[in-house]
Amino acid sequence: MKNTTNLGLSTRCIHAGDSLDGRGGIFTPLYSHSTFGFTDTKSLLDVVEGRVEGSLYTRYGLNPTIQSVERKLAAIENGEVAWVFSSGMAAESATFLAHCKTGDHIICIGDVYGGTYELLDANLPNLGILTTFLLGNEIDKLSASIKSNTRMIFFETPTNPNMEVLDIAKIANAAKKHGVLTVVDNTFATSVNQQPLALGADMVIHSTTKYLGGHSDLTGGVVIGPSKLLAPIWDWRKNLGQIMAPEVAYLLARSLRTLVIRVNAHNEAAQYLAERLVKHPRISKVNYPGLTNFNGHNLAEQQMSGFGGMISFVINGNAEEAAAVVDRLKLFSIAPSLGGVESLITQPITTTHYNLTREERTKRGIVDGMLRISVGLEDIDDLWIDLKQALK
Ligand SMILES: *Cc1c(COP(=O)(O)O)cnc(C)c1O
C-alpha cells in the first residue's frame, strides 16, 4: 500500500487504502465474498483474535474491499479509522447506540436531516435516551443545557435547508469542557470543504449516499474518528447487521477518486447560481454560505475551504406559486437527496420538512415559498437558463 500521510487531498482520494491486488491490478478489486477461508486454525485465530489484519466474514466488515474503502475514507477525513454502513442513518444510529445508554442525554443543535430528527425525537426515547433540541442561534444556551448525563452533542453544518453555519470549534470546545462528545454530520459540506476533526470534533458522519457517492447510485454511510471511540461502534454495526455491501464499497471507492474535482465543480456552479439568484426580482432571499452578505459567511470562510453545492431560496409567492416554479423546470429533477451529478430541486414543505407543524416550520424559518437546490455538474449556462425560465 502507498503511504499517503501528509499528501494532498486529491492524492489521498486516489491512492489511500488501495494497493496492487497481487495480480497487478492498480486498485482494490471487488471481493463480493461473504466469507473467507483459512489454511489452518492458527491463521484463523490470528484474525479472530486481532493479531493479524485479515478477512473473515463480510458482515463483520472483515472484507478487503470494505476495509480498503474504510482506509481511504479515514485518510480523506484525517481520522484514525472509518467504519462504513448500509446507509447514513445506519451510521448515525450505531453511533448513538454505542455511546449512549438508557438514562443518557443528547443535545442536537440546529436543523438536522428529517430521519435524524425522527430517530432522536421518536425512536431513542423508547430506549430512555432523550434529546434536547436547540436552534442554531441558541448556542449561548449550550453550556446550560449540558447535564451530568449528557453524552453527545450532534449537529450538521451547513444545515438543511437554511444553510445555517454552526461554529464547530466553539461547540466542540464547550463540549470538551464537560467531557461530552461532539459529533458532526459533514454530509452537506463534504470532506473537501470542511474537516470537523481538525476543528475539534470527536467523530464525523457522512451519508455517503450524497456527495461521497456523488452519482445518485449508491446508499451508504460512514463514521470516522479515533479508534478508541469507534471500537464500540464496530460491535453495534456487527450485531445490528448494518455493514455496507462490498459491491457498494467498491462503487464508493470508485467515486471517491474524483471527489475533489467534483466538489470543487459543485462549489463553483453553486456560487455562480447563488450570485444570479440574489439579483432576481422574484426572489426575496438566498441562503448560500458563499454569498458575502449571507449571515454565516464570515464563519463559513473561517471553517470551510469551499461553500458547497446546496442553495435554498425564497420566492415572493405562496406554496402553489413555488410549486409552479418547480414544475416548470426542465433540467432539475424534483427529488429529495443531493450531491449527485444531476441537479435536483425540492420544496422543503413537501419533502424534507413535510412532517413538521406550521408552527415548528415558522420557528425554523421554513416558509412556503422556499425552494432548495442541489446544484449538479451540468453546464452552468444550461442550469441558469432553466432556472430563469421557471422563475418567469
Ligand atoms: C441523507 C442524509 C442523511 C441520511 O443518509 P441516508 O444515506 O439516506 O441514510 C443524514 N444526514 C444528512 C445531512 C443527509 O443529507
Side-chain angles (χ1 to χ4, degrees):
M1 208 171 328
K2 295 186 177 107
N3 179 1
T4 59
T5 324
N6 298 326
L7 296 183
L9 186 56
S10 290
T11 310
R12 276 176 279 147
C13 282
I14 293 163
H15 292 292
D18 278 310
S19 50
L20 294 183
D21 70 354
R23 292 171 182 264
I26 55 172
F27 52 78
T28 309
L30 168 58
Y31 287 89
S32 59
H33 315 66
S34 58
T35 189
F36 296 85
F38 296 85
T39 49
D40 53 62
T41 304
K42 185 189 168 295
S43 346
L44 178 139
L45 285 175
D46 280 345
V47 173
V48 170
E49 292 169 1
R51 281 183 296 277
V52 171
E53 197 182 293
S55 309
L56 179 66
Y57 191 63
T58 287
R59 176 171 51 78
Y60 294 5
L62 301 180
N63 167 301
T65 307
I66 292 171
Q67 289 165 313
S68 173
V69 80
E70 286 180 336
R71 285 192 295 266
K72 196 185 282 294
L73 285 159
I76 291 170
E77 197 80 35
N78 278 310
E80 222 179 311
V81 286
W83 306 146
V84 291
F85 289 81
S86 53
S87 70
M89 286 310 301
E92 285 185 26
S93 53
T95 302
F96 294 141
L97 290 170
H99 285 282
C100 306
K101 58 185 187 313
T102 301
D104 284 348
H105 175 240
I106 297 171
I107 297 174
C108 176
I109 311 174
D111 288 314
V112 285
Y113 181 72
T116 308
Y117 182 79
E118 251 182 82
L119 177 65
L120 293 171
D121 184 60
N123 302 133
L124 291 184
N126 289 334
L127 306 176
I129 301 165
L130 296 182
T131 297
T132 298
F133 294 91
L134 295 178
L135 293 176
N137 60 11
E138 294 178 328
I139 293 185
D140 52 321
K141 292 189 189 163
L142 179 60
S143 285
S145 307
I146 298 177
K147 305 188 274 187
S148 59
N149 59 344
T150 306
R151 293 285 164 262
M152 189 183 287
I153 295 173
F154 182 92
F155 60 96
E156 302 173 7
T157 178
T159 67
N160 176 30
N162 287 305
M163 306 304 296
E164 192 170 22
V165 184
L166 302 187
D167 193 329
I168 299 173
K170 192 170 165 188
I171 296 170
N173 221 0
K176 234 166 230 124
K177 277 193 196 125
H178 295 87
V180 173
L181 296 173
T182 301
V183 181
V184 177
D185 180 337
N186 205 24
T187 303
F188 261 47
T190 80
S191 330
V192 178
N193 291 328
Q194 183 167 278
Q195 298 255 305
L197 296 176
L199 295 164
D202 295 294
M203 287 180 273
V204 169
I205 290 178
H206 288 270
S207 164
T208 64
T209 313
K210 315 297 167 52
Y211 288 102
L212 303 196
H215 298 72
S216 313
D217 59 359
L218 67 86
T219 300
V222 64
V223 52
I224 306 159
S227 46
K228 197 167 120 269
L229 292 175
L230 263 75
I233 302 174
W234 197 87
D235 293 330
W236 280 90
R237 179 184 69 174
K238 172 166 81 75
N239 296 331
L240 290 173
Q242 300 172 300
I243 193 70
M244 174 180 278
E247 292 80 359
V248 174
Y250 178 81
L251 200 53
L252 177 59
R254 191 283 318 267
S255 292
L256 289 172
R257 295 186 184 102
T258 56
L259 181 68
V260 176
I261 53 167
R262 280 191 290 108
V263 170
N264 286 339
H266 285 291
N267 289 345
E268 209 175 298
Q271 184 77 36
Y272 180 97
L273 290 183
E275 284 172 8
R276 273 146 194 86
L277 288 167
V278 148
K279 294 188 202 128
H280 197 282
R282 273 204 75 193
I283 291 175
S284 60
K285 188 164 183 231
V286 179
N287 301 313
Y288 184 66
L291 293 172
T292 47
N293 64 348
F294 181 67
N295 224 341
H297 177 71
N298 290 341
L299 178 55
E301 265 202 322
Q302 276 171 41
Q303 70 180 17
M304 302 178 79
S305 53
F307 302 114
M310 298 301 296
I311 305 172
S312 69
F313 55 93
V314 178
I315 68 151
N316 295 314
N318 59 23
E320 288 70 36
E321 286 163 311
V325 171
V326 171
D327 291 342
R328 276 194 293 270
L329 285 165
K330 295 184 172 76
L331 277 176
F332 288 77
S333 297
I334 310 170
S337 198
L338 56 123
V341 293
E342 50 289 283
S343 292
L344 305 178
I345 188 157
T346 56
Q347 189 176 9
I349 62 158
T350 65
T351 49
T352 49
H353 295 73
Y354 181 78
N355 284 326
L356 292 190
T357 60
R358 179 166 286 275
E359 189 193 354
E360 196 56 39
R361 281 185 205 145
T362 309
K363 198 168 101 184
R364 293 173 180 270
I366 297 157
V367 295
D368 291 355
M370 180 181 260
L371 299 174
R372 184 195 86 175
I373 55 177
S374 169
V375 182
L377 299 183
E378 299 93 341
D379 287 290
I380 191 65
D381 291 333
D382 294 336
L383 293 180
W384 179 232
I385 288 167
D386 195 25
L387 278 167
K388 266 195 306 193
Q389 66 78 21
L391 285 163
K392 273 227 173 89

